[in-house]
């Protein structure tokens, strides 16, 4: 999730746990600690694929963060002791602020390595967009109220209520994901399509309209599903370019990217470049993570020693407006295949 959301989540948690004793400082401490795992972005990695796939790695591991919570508890108890609350309460507060950061990240589409250093694939429950105002708003209001009116000697009703609302919203988002995938599964069964993989995620800034990607051999299908749809979803068949993947058999970057994304990838030849697109993030035709993994030289594909990012377009307000209209009107045409065709340019 975005840094503001992580900061207000950490602030609300520490305010709820320690605000009666720390006052407004609990909000500041929690906000700082809640954004700490994202400091891994300052690390310089070897190439573009490494920068993407090592982010949300060790710094988002529940093992590392649990150990950090123990260390911080011991240091605070030694150098800033407070007899008004127990060591156990302090540890639980710090642990919750730290581990809820990667847990919340796991609800997005990116991929979070919760169990690093174990080589398990990254977790991406993909039920919320990376920026979701409806999730953030209750937490933000609780933090602003705490800053305005203080927390000292108060029962933390407002922070607890905000945490409950935001948690219920996450549960609603999982319900939306199940709804969208189930409706698409019914269409797949009716049309006799046996998918290799199915991936779903909400469209930008909401959990009402869902984008479902279905991999099938040389192609993939995309569909939009809204909570308010009355008719079955329509699948758009789009070429995936998997024949180009043969040119990447000797590419360690491609192996890692396929592992990180669970294989939800598309391949395009653009001039002399082989461009691989992570289809999970962004919107149809507008995906932030695209990489040049090979170049065509001497009649064959030559994998690059260092992968490079391909310039991307994140879409515009007109397309967002079209998606918002599609939330409420199933007959609103959205040219998914046309948008996907832009990836060949």
């Amino acid at each position: 999730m975005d840094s503001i959301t992580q900061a207000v989540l950490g602030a609300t948690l520490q305010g709820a746990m320690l605000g009666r004793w720390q006052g407004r400082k609990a909000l500041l401490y929690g906000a700082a600690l809640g954004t700490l795992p994202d400091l891994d972005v300052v690390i310089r990695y070897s190439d573009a694929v490494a920068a993407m796939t090592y982010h949300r790695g060790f710094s988002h591991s529940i093992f590392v963060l649990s150990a950090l919570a123990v260390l911080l508890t011991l240091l605070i108890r030694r150098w800033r002791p407070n007899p008004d609350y127990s060591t156990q309460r302090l540890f639980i507060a710090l642990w919750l602020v730290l581990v809820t950061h990667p847990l919340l990240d796991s609800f997005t589409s990116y991929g979070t390595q919760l169990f690093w250093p174990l080589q398990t694939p990254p977790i991406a429950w993909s039920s919320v967009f990376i920026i979701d105002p409806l999730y953030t708003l209750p937490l933000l209001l609780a933090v602003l109220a705490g800053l305005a009116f203080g927390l000292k000697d108060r029962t933390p009703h407002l922070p607890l209520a905000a945490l409950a609302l935001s948690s219920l919203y996450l549960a609603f988002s999982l319900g939306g994901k199940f709804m969208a995938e189930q409706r698409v599964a019914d269409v797949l069964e009716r049309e006799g399509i046996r998918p290799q993989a199915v991936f779903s995620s909400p469209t930008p800034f909401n959990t009402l309209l869902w984008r479902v990607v279905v991999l099938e051999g040389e192609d993939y299908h995309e569909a939009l599903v809204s909570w308010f749809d009355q008719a079955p979803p329509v699948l758009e068949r789009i070429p995936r370019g998997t024949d180009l993947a043969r040119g990447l058999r000797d590419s360690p970057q491609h192996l890692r990217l396929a592992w990180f994304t669970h294989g939800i990838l598309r391949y395009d030849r653009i001039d002399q470049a082989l461009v691989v697109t992570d289809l999970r993030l962004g919107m149809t035709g507008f995906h932030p993570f695209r990489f040049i993994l090979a170049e065509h030289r001497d009649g064959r594909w030559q994998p690059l020693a260092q992968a490079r990012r391909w310039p991307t377009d994140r879409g515009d307000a007109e397309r967002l407006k079209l998606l918002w209209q599609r939330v409420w009107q199933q007959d609103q045409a959205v040219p998914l295949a046309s948008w996907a065709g832009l990836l060949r340019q």
Side-chain angles (χ1 to χ4, degrees):
M1 295 291 282
D2 62 282
S3 296
I4 292 175
T5 300
Q6 295 288 9
V8 295
L9 174 59
T12 306
L13 278 165
Q14 187 145 341
M17 292 292 296
L18 299 176
R20 292 179 62 186
W21 303 279
Q22 294 180 343
R24 292 181 177 88
K25 289 182 180 178
L27 301 174
L28 301 178
Y29 297 153
L33 198 59
T35 57
L36 184 64
D38 278 342
L39 289 181
D40 66 334
V41 297
V42 304
I43 300 173
R44 295 181 64 86
Y45 292 102
S46 58
D47 67 4
V49 168
M52 176 193 178
T53 60
Y54 285 99
H55 175 48
R56 296 192 184 179
F58 75 93
S59 69
H60 287 59
S61 165
I62 58 174
F63 303 130
V64 172
L65 294 176
S66 296
L68 179 59
V70 172
L71 177 62
L72 289 175
T73 300
L74 295 175
L75 292 174
I76 292 170
R77 270 308 186 199
R78 178 175 178 83
W79 300 107
R80 297 292 299 272
N82 190 321
D84 293 332
Y85 52 85
S86 66
T87 299
Q88 181 182 16
R89 189 181 190 91
L90 175 62
F91 167 74
I92 293 174
L94 298 177
W95 183 79
L96 283 173
V97 170
L98 286 169
V99 301
T100 52
H101 178 121
L103 286 174
L104 180 58
D105 277 345
S106 297
F107 280 88
T108 70
S109 302
Y110 189 98
T112 305
Q113 297 170 61
L114 283 180
F115 304 111
W116 184 97
L118 302 180
Q119 291 302 304
T120 54
I123 294 173
W125 295 316
S126 62
S127 69
V128 290
F129 195 65
I130 194 170
I131 299 174
D132 193 317
L134 286 181
Y135 176 82
T136 308
L137 186 60
L139 303 173
L140 179 60
L141 291 176
V143 170
L144 293 176
L147 291 173
F149 303 111
L151 295 171
K152 210 168 184 65
D153 302 322
R154 293 174 180 267
T155 302
H157 294 307
L158 193 56
L160 289 173
L163 290 167
L165 281 173
S166 61
S167 298
L168 286 172
Y169 183 74
L170 288 179
F172 171 76
S173 74
L174 291 172
K177 183 180 181 69
F178 176 81
M179 174 276 299
E181 291 190 0
Q182 189 59 54
R183 291 186 183 179
V184 169
D186 292 341
V187 175
L188 296 177
E189 183 176 3
R190 188 173 67 246
E191 297 186 4
I193 297 174
R194 296 185 177 180
Q196 296 168 259
V198 176
F199 178 85
S200 63
S201 63
T203 54
F205 313 122
N206 76 94
T207 51
L208 297 176
L209 181 65
W210 291 77
R211 169 178 169 259
V212 182
V213 177
V214 178
L215 302 188
E216 185 199 17
E218 298 292 318
D219 301 317
Y220 65 101
H221 307 263
E222 290 215 18
L224 293 176
V225 184
S226 169
W227 273 105
F228 304 104
D229 287 353
Q230 299 298 317
V234 176
L235 299 178
E236 295 272 4
R237 182 181 291 270
I238 303 167
R240 189 171 165 229
T242 52
D243 57 311
L244 293 169
R246 290 193 289 269
L248 297 171
R249 283 175 293 194
D250 298 326
S251 170
Q253 293 95 338
H254 179 244
L255 286 175
R256 182 162 181 85
L257 192 61
W259 168 79
F260 189 83
T261 63
H262 299 264
I264 314 297
L265 297 170
R266 166 180 165 148
Y267 306 84
D268 291 280
R269 176 174 181 167
I270 304 176
D271 297 327
Q272 301 304 309
L274 200 168
V275 179
V276 182
T277 301
D278 180 355
L279 292 171
R280 303 170 307 143
L281 283 81
M283 185 53 205
T284 308
F286 305 93
H287 305 284
F289 290 101
R290 308 189 69 199
F291 304 95
I292 307 173
L293 296 190
E295 292 180 342
H296 201 263
R297 298 193 300 265
D298 302 324
R300 64 188 185 93
W301 290 108
Q302 304 278 355
L304 299 180
Q306 292 185 319
R308 303 193 301 271
R309 286 283 292 271
W310 183 262
T312 59
D313 186 347
R314 294 178 181 265
D316 54 30
E318 285 301 314
R319 289 181 172 86
L320 288 176
K321 181 180 177 181
L322 192 62
L323 291 175
W324 183 246
Q325 292 170 345
R326 174 61 183 82
V327 171
W328 318 104
Q329 303 169 22
Q330 190 172 6
D331 59 356
Q332 173 63 64
V334 179
L336 295 180
S338 176
W339 289 0
L342 298 174
L343 295 177
R344 294 192 294 269
Q345 302 176 8

